Amino acid sequence: VTGATGGVGSTAVAILANLGYKNVVASSGRVEESSSWLKTIGAKDVIGRIKLSKRPLNKEKYMGVIDAVGGSVLTACLSETKYGGCVTCCGMAASASIENASVFPFILRGVSLIGIDSVQLPMAERAEVWRRLGTDFPRSYFEEEPTVFRLEDLKEAGEKILKGTIKGRALVTPQSKL
């Protein structure tokens, strides 16, 4: 799971662990500061940011990837995904581009790239997702309070999220006082 200290990434780590996945690997730009917390919510291992190499294919490491970062991180994940594996793309914190990507993961390893969309998803499927969140999401994840930002501080909040100085969920409130 890339971007594991963010709201989407940490949610993915917690749900995967709660569903019984034993080898959840969390990728973070702040390993020292976040390792203990990520292991508490379900990560088996915590690694640094996955870096792009000049090679179109790298050693096969992951059968599945949930990428909340995009850009070169997504490209690197594709190059390290095992034969027949799947990479889901649900974010673009680093970039909306798939930088310097090669078709090799797709044609030599049969890797699938799946986009995650919640806007056009039919209502019946959305209802099922919400139902599953009620059963698959560990309640303990909500014990930690989210970081709250005022609407007028949204730019500052975005900068902190991109720098990785916020862990877990962030909440934006329209109220001028917190």
Side-chain angles (χ1 to χ4, degrees):
V1 177
T2 67
T5 55
V8 173
S10 62
T11 297
V13 168
I15 289 174
L16 289 169
N18 195 52
L19 288 172
Y21 288 89
K22 304 289 183 220
N23 294 315
V24 178
V25 177
S27 172
S28 170
R30 301 175 113 26
V31 174
E32 285 185 28
E33 299 93 327
S34 62
S35 186
S36 176
W37 178 70
L38 287 167
K39 288 181 178 180
T40 299
I41 64 170
K44 179 181 179 189
D45 293 310
V46 180
I47 62 172
R49 285 193 177 109
I50 300 170
K51 302 215 184 286
L52 182 61
S53 77
K54 294 181 181 180
R55 298 175 51 187
L57 287 175
N58 289 302
K59 181 180 177 187
E60 296 177 70
K61 296 180 183 177
Y62 313 109
M63 193 64 204
V65 175
I66 297 174
D67 175 55
V69 177
S72 63
V73 172
L74 174 56
T75 304
C77 289
L78 289 166
S79 76
E80 296 180 0
T81 299
K82 292 181 179 183
Y83 182 84
C86 180
V87 177
T88 62
C89 177
C90 60
M92 54 185 177
S95 174
S97 298
I98 303 176
E99 299 169 13
N100 300 316
S102 164
V103 296
F104 289 151
F106 307 111
I107 63 174
L108 296 178
R109 290 188 182 159
V111 171
S112 296
L113 175 60
I114 307 293
I116 297 177
D117 165 62
S118 61
V119 177
Q120 299 296 322
L121 193 65
M123 190 52 76
E125 291 178 55
R126 277 188 214 200
E128 176 61 13
V129 169
W130 284 106
R131 187 194 68 72
R132 292 281 309 266
L133 284 174
T135 59
D136 297 348
F137 212 109
R139 302 252 186 264
S140 60
Y141 182 75
F142 293 104
E143 291 172 2
E144 188 170 323
E145 292 290 320
T147 302
V148 181
F149 292 98
R150 298 175 307 165
L151 189 57
E152 56 263 29
D153 297 330
L154 197 55
K155 182 179 179 192
E156 174 191 339
E159 290 168 357
K160 287 182 177 182
I161 289 169
L162 289 175
K163 287 179 183 173
T165 57
I166 295 174
K167 71 177 185 195
R169 299 171 295 129
L171 177 70
V172 178
T173 179
Q175 298 172 354
S176 58
K177 292 183 181 181
L178 295 178

